[in-house]
Each structure stands twice: as C-alpha cells, then as structure tokens.
Amino acid sequence: AIPDLTARYTMRLDGCGYVKVSGLLRSLYYDIAGQSDSSAGYGLSVSGKHAIGDNGNDIRWMITSGSGVGRYLGLNTANAAVIDGNGSLEAIDQTGFFLAYRHNWSQKWRTNLMYSALRIDNDTTLTGTGVTKDVYSANVNLVYQPLPKLTLGGEVMFAERTIESGLDGDMTRFIFSAKYAF
C-alpha cells in the first residue's frame, strides 16, 4: 500500500562520537481469499559510537524497540504481525540491543567484543509455542590488515535461541574472513 518510512537524526559529540535517533513507520497488510486487514507498525532506535582514548578504540551500541518491526530487527527473527481469530492483524512487539567494543592493538591488528540480544512479545494463543521468544549472541574476533586494501580475520561466535515452549538451542561458530577492497 505505502512504502515503509524511515527517518534518522545524527547528533555529533565534539569529535568523540555520535548519537543517532531513528524511526520507522510502516503499514502492515494482508489479503487472503477475500479477507483482509491492515495495521500500523512502528519502531524507534537509539544508537551511538563513543571514542575511548585517541588510538581508534571505541564503544558502539544500539537499542531498538517497536511493534510490527519484523524484518528490521534481528534479521527477521520474528514476524511483524499475526492474524487473530477474528481476522484482525495484530502487530508483534520486539526489543533488541547490542553493545560492542573495538580495541586497536596496533595499526594492523584489532579486536572486537560484541554482545546482542532480542526479545519478542508473542501472543502464544495466536503464534503457537514454536516461535522464537528470545535470542542472544556473543562474539570476539581478531582482525589483521597486512596491506591497506587487504583484511584477514578470525572470529568465535556463541549464540542461543529459546522458543516459546521453553526449548532452547545454542551454537558455536568459528568464522574466518578475507577481504580485498578494490
């Protein structure tokens, strides 16, 4: 019906970082076999980056919350809405955040420590108990830049997901990367 609308404002912090405020407004709609409904979705996000010292170390963070956010948060971990017994479209509330610290060991070596979490407020009478209730992940990496255009890295990631029934699962990943900037 209408495109998703987004807006963002950035406030610079005297050369030591920034704070951003972002908003989302969207129209959720379905039309199945002659039955249809719509609902508004919205979200608010506040984020920042703050320098620590003068060697490029920093802290980055973000918190996002909204109703009907869906694909905009957590790589589409939860749907934006669910259809109730009367055919009405009900937006699903979500809140997520991340916190990351970047430490430069030298001009060629750096490490990032990250933690993120997402909580979804499902109405299980509508969604069932097989949908995601919450997720979190923690990562640490080591990145090496031997040449200005070449970056090599290794990372360990641990994540856990819990569904509404209470079942949970976790994973550990080892990630290796190579990037050449043309």
Side-chain angles (χ1 to χ4, degrees):
I2 63 170
D4 295 353
L5 303 172
T6 61
R8 180 178 73 191
Y9 176 75
T10 302
M11 181 177 60
R12 301 276 174 207
L13 302 174
D14 295 329
C16 67
Y18 59 79
V19 172
K20 293 182 182 183
V21 178
S22 305
L24 166 70
L25 183 61
R26 64 191 301 214
S27 175
L28 305 171
Y29 177 81
Y30 86 94
D31 185 356
I32 301 172
Q35 186 172 359
S36 64
D37 193 29
S38 64
S39 180
Y42 60 88
L44 182 65
S45 183
V46 181
S47 63
K49 176 181 170 185
H50 308 281
I52 298 175
D54 50 0
N55 63 347
N57 299 341
D58 62 53
I59 291 178
R60 299 166 194 227
W61 57 273
M62 177 184 283
I63 185 164
T64 303
S65 190
S67 185
V69 177
R71 68 176 178 251
Y72 288 97
L73 188 57
L75 299 173
N76 203 30
T77 302
N79 290 326
V82 64
I83 302 169
D84 71 12
N86 298 320
S88 297
L89 196 58
E90 301 292 330
I92 298 173
D93 296 342
Q94 302 179 50
T95 299
F97 76 91
F98 82 83
L99 180 63
Y101 171 67
R102 180 177 69 176
H103 182 81
N104 291 304
W105 301 102
S106 69
Q107 288 186 2
K108 294 186 177 201
W109 290 92
R110 68 180 180 271
T111 295
N112 297 282
L113 300 168
M114 299 157 277
Y115 181 82
S116 65
L118 172 63
R119 176 157 287 246
I120 299 109
D121 186 18
N122 296 297
D123 180 345
T124 56
T125 60
L126 301 176
T127 63
T129 59
V131 295
T132 301
K133 178 180 180 179
D134 55 43
V135 294
Y136 77 87
S137 67
N139 310 47
V140 61
N141 66 24
L142 182 62
V143 179
Y144 176 55
Q145 190 166 6
L147 302 169
K149 293 186 173 193
L150 179 64
T151 306
L152 306 169
E155 180 169 301
V156 177
M157 173 185 184
F158 177 79
E160 185 171 298
R161 173 181 175 232
T162 304
I163 62 174
E164 288 290 351
S165 70
L167 293 174
D168 62 9
D170 60 57
M171 72 171 195
T172 301
R173 285 192 177 167
F174 298 95
I175 304 163
F176 300 97
S177 64
K179 173 186 163 188
Y180 184 79
F182 293 94

